[in-house]
Amino acid sequence: MKLFEVIPDELFSVLASPNRELYADALDVLYAAYGETLKIPEETLYSMLRSKLEQQLADATFEDEDIDEEEKRDISGRARFLIRKLHSKGWFERERGTDFEEYITVPAYSSRLLALFHQLRDDSPVRGYSYVFGTYSTLKVANEGDSVYDRMAAVYSAYDNTHALINLLQMIYHDVKHFFKIQMELNDVNRVLASHFDDFGQKVVEAYIRPLKIRDSVPKYRGPIQTILSSWVEDDALLVAMTNAALQDRRGHTAAECRSDLLQKIFWIKERYDCIERDYLDEIDQQVRRYTRAATQKVENLTNRDQNVRGNLNYLLQALSRNRRAAELVEQIQPAFQLYEQTFLSDKSLWYRKRPVKRTKNASVLIAEQNISPEAAQEAEQLLHSEYDKAAVSAYIEHWLGESGICCSEDMNLTDDKAYIMSLLAVLASSDTAAAYTVQTLEGSFTENGYAIPRMQLTRKEGKK
């Protein structure tokens, strides 16, 4: 059967209109009315729309809508228009009761869609599912009882629970992929942390993954489930009785069909529990570990991106990705980075092993020796002995020690090359036992006039002034 043989052709048109937000809220109100009472008076839906959507109705423009001017004038008319619009598109039907009041009936397709829309809008954490334990409990109770019908029904119930479990595991796996995409688009460390702990932690880990590890554990209940099903398959008399019970319950047209259906479902359940850890749980665990590692690295990168090269490179690549006219910038940085246009992404696209290039033997290059003239050597020696001898270094240090006898490297004001060289010589001279001062290295460093200088403290020795 085709889809639009079941639902009206224009059912979803309200969700594609400019006022789709208003219509979505109105459908949620319709679902709330549907869940409150069996018979829904039209006046009840009208009152609920007015009370819950008063502000939305007042702000709506209803452009390109077939609304009358009388309806558009006030909130009451706009609420009546919503009821008329949803009814015309097939979301509900009207009927007149024995009391001559108008009642609303919701078709089966509409109730299912309304429940789905409400579930998608609901942010409350999911709790309470127990597919594995439910399968084990149903089979155990039926196995300990004497009713053949209970055992037949337990097989179908276990089949439905296992199907629901597989669908849940598939949803978890793809939901983790969805959080990967969300994380890639976040650039604020607080939002990354909120997405990881609040959204992913509550909606995925606490709601689904933790129960699969503790109270609804597959390894815990897999053995008993398979044991019970195997004992039923091996008992031919019991299998015949279960087949007759399934035929009476109209599970099939003939006894052969019912027997084949029971065996297929039993073996399908056993096979799924054989491979569910390898094909589903292990894959989900690996995906969660990858996501957690990526989230941790993203937080670290966003925290330290102003202090390391990787953070600066991240800024550069983001700028290139956002700018479609970055061809000139790519050409400028091409000599420094090997950037290529990527049209296909795979697990080997971002990195490849660099193959070593075969070296060729070239002719030797002779380095000519340069002889230093005696005059230049004598001039350099005189310079060292005149400006950088021990006496000059001691006088330089005593100048900074002053009366206090203590001086830090931040206070030495290294404004030129000579001052910087003198500070280095002071550190070297402090290792001499005859030196009149000591040098203590402190934690950290600072930059002054282009020099990277470690933090130090010079202290005069007692009695050595």
Side-chain angles (χ1 to χ4, degrees):
M1 184 177 293
K2 296 181 180 180
L3 177 63
F4 288 98
E5 293 178 358
V6 181
I7 65 175
D9 294 340
E10 298 183 355
L11 183 70
F12 298 108
S13 61
V14 294
L15 300 178
S17 68
N19 294 313
R20 54 183 176 272
E21 293 289 342
L22 175 61
Y23 290 124
D25 293 338
L27 290 176
D28 199 53
V29 173
L30 175 61
Y31 179 74
Y34 175 77
E36 286 183 0
T37 180
L38 179 62
K39 298 177 66 175
I40 310 173
E42 184 175 325
E43 288 299 319
T44 300
L45 178 60
Y46 165 73
S47 300
M48 294 177 67
L49 288 173
R50 282 202 57 184
S51 61
K52 295 185 177 182
L53 303 181
E54 181 177 2
Q55 188 62 43
Q56 292 93 317
L57 288 171
D59 296 339
T61 58
F62 293 105
E63 295 181 0
D64 300 329
E65 298 279 5
D66 56 344
I67 184 172
D68 299 334
E69 290 298 328
E70 293 292 331
E71 292 177 331
K72 193 175 181 181
R73 189 184 314 180
D74 54 15
I75 301 297
S76 300
R78 297 184 177 201
R80 294 290 183 189
F81 168 75
L82 282 183
I83 295 177
R84 180 167 61 86
K85 186 79 171 183
L86 295 178
H87 173 256
S88 65
K89 301 305 179 183
W91 283 100
F92 61 84
E93 298 171 355
R94 284 173 171 157
E95 66 174 4
R96 188 176 297 276
T98 56
D99 55 356
F100 297 100
E101 294 289 337
E102 291 284 345
Y103 290 92
I104 287 174
T105 59
V106 180
Y109 64 83
S110 179
S111 63
R112 293 180 183 179
L113 290 174
L114 291 174
L116 175 61
F117 294 161
H118 180 76
Q119 183 181 1
L120 293 175
R121 292 162 62 102
D122 190 9
D123 290 334
S124 60
V126 179
R127 292 289 188 274
Y129 80 90
S130 55
Y131 298 125
V132 182
F133 176 76
T135 300
Y136 163 72
S137 178
T138 303
L139 294 175
K140 184 175 183 294
V141 172
N143 188 52
E144 293 176 352
D146 298 329
S147 175
V148 177
Y149 179 84
D150 289 346
R151 297 187 182 186
M152 180 274 299
V155 172
Y156 285 96
S157 177
Y159 177 80
D160 293 338
N161 280 337
T162 307
H163 247 303
L165 176 64
I166 297 299
N167 292 335
L168 174 68
L169 295 177
Q170 290 175 335
M171 185 195 71
I172 295 173
Y173 179 81
H174 292 282
D175 206 15
V176 177
K177 290 273 191 178
H178 173 66
F179 276 96
F180 259 112
K181 181 178 181 298
I182 293 176
Q183 185 197 95
M184 291 175 62
E185 297 174 354
L186 298 179
N187 293 316
D188 182 72
V189 64
N190 293 326
R191 295 184 62 189
V192 173
L193 291 173
S195 174
H196 178 66
F197 289 103
D198 296 340
D199 298 335
F200 180 77
Q202 295 298 322
K203 296 180 180 179
V204 178
V205 176
E206 293 293 335
Y208 301 115
I209 296 179
R210 187 181 294 276
L212 287 172
K213 301 293 184 181
I214 303 175
R215 63 175 179 270
D216 209 39
S217 172
V218 172
K220 180 179 180 180
Y221 297 111
R222 179 186 58 190
I225 290 173
Q226 292 180 326
T227 301
I228 295 174
L229 292 176
S230 298
S231 65
W232 290 358
V233 171
E234 294 170 358
D235 191 343
D236 191 64
L238 176 61
L239 194 57
V240 171
M242 292 170 60
T243 301
N244 294 330
L247 183 61
Q248 293 177 1
D249 203 38
R250 307 181 70 86
R251 302 280 183 173
H253 297 289
T254 62
E257 290 182 4
C258 293
R259 180 186 177 92
S260 175
D261 190 43
L262 281 171
L263 290 175
Q264 286 180 0
K265 284 178 169 51
I266 289 174
F267 286 121
W268 185 86
I269 296 170
K270 292 180 61 178
E271 289 175 359
R272 283 297 174 271
Y273 274 94
D274 278 333
C275 65
I276 198 170
E277 288 186 77
R278 180 186 67 252
D279 295 344
Y280 292 91
L281 297 180
D282 291 346
E283 290 292 331
I284 291 174
D285 289 342
Q286 182 179 0
Q287 194 76 350
V288 170
R289 287 194 296 269
R290 287 183 57 207
Y291 169 79
T292 305
R293 183 168 58 251
T296 304
Q297 292 178 350
K298 180 112 185 203
V299 171
E300 180 184 357
N301 182 35
L302 292 175
T303 305
N304 302 321
R305 62 184 177 182
D306 295 333
Q307 304 175 12
N308 55 23
V309 177
R310 185 173 63 179
N312 296 330
L313 181 59
N314 183 31
Y315 273 127
L316 176 62
L317 295 178
Q318 285 185 353
L320 291 175
S321 65
R322 289 193 297 264
N323 187 2
R324 296 184 178 180
R325 300 178 178 177
E328 298 180 359
L329 181 59
V330 172
E331 292 180 358
Q332 294 177 5
I333 65 175
Q334 188 72 29
F337 299 99
Q338 294 183 357
L339 297 177
Y340 303 98
E341 181 180 1
Q342 191 71 36
T343 58
F344 174 76
L345 189 64
S346 67
D347 56 348
K348 298 181 179 179
S349 298
L350 302 180
W351 178 85
Y352 65 95
R353 186 180 298 278
K354 187 177 181 180
R355 296 182 179 180
V357 181
K358 185 178 180 181
R359 296 183 178 181
T360 57
K361 189 174 182 180
N362 297 324
S364 301
V365 178
L366 297 179
I367 300 177
E369 295 184 0
Q370 295 182 355
N371 296 324
I372 301 176
S373 63
E375 293 79 7
Q378 184 178 4
E379 183 179 355
E381 185 177 359
Q382 291 177 356
L383 179 63
L384 289 175
H385 285 294
S386 61
E387 295 191 18
Y388 302 105
D389 58 359
K390 291 183 178 182
V393 173
S394 299
Y396 177 80
I397 296 302
E398 286 297 332
H399 167 71
W400 286 109
L401 290 176
E403 295 296 332
S404 62
I406 297 176
C407 176
C408 295
S409 55
E410 293 95 326
D411 304 328
M412 297 179 70
N413 192 16
L414 305 179
T415 57
D416 51 22
D417 293 343
K418 181 178 180 180
Y420 183 67
I421 295 173
M422 293 294 283
S423 65
L424 296 178
L425 294 176
V427 175
L428 295 177
S430 65
S431 59
D432 191 354
T433 56
Y437 56 92
T438 59
V439 177
Q440 180 182 1
T441 303
L442 304 179
E443 184 178 357
S445 62
F446 65 97
T447 303
E448 184 174 353
N449 296 323
Y451 299 109
I453 304 170
R455 299 186 184 276
M456 298 178 297
Q457 178 176 300
L458 285 72
T459 306
R460 182 185 295 116
K461 296 179 181 179
E462 297 182 0
K464 292 272 184 149
K465 185 174 180 181

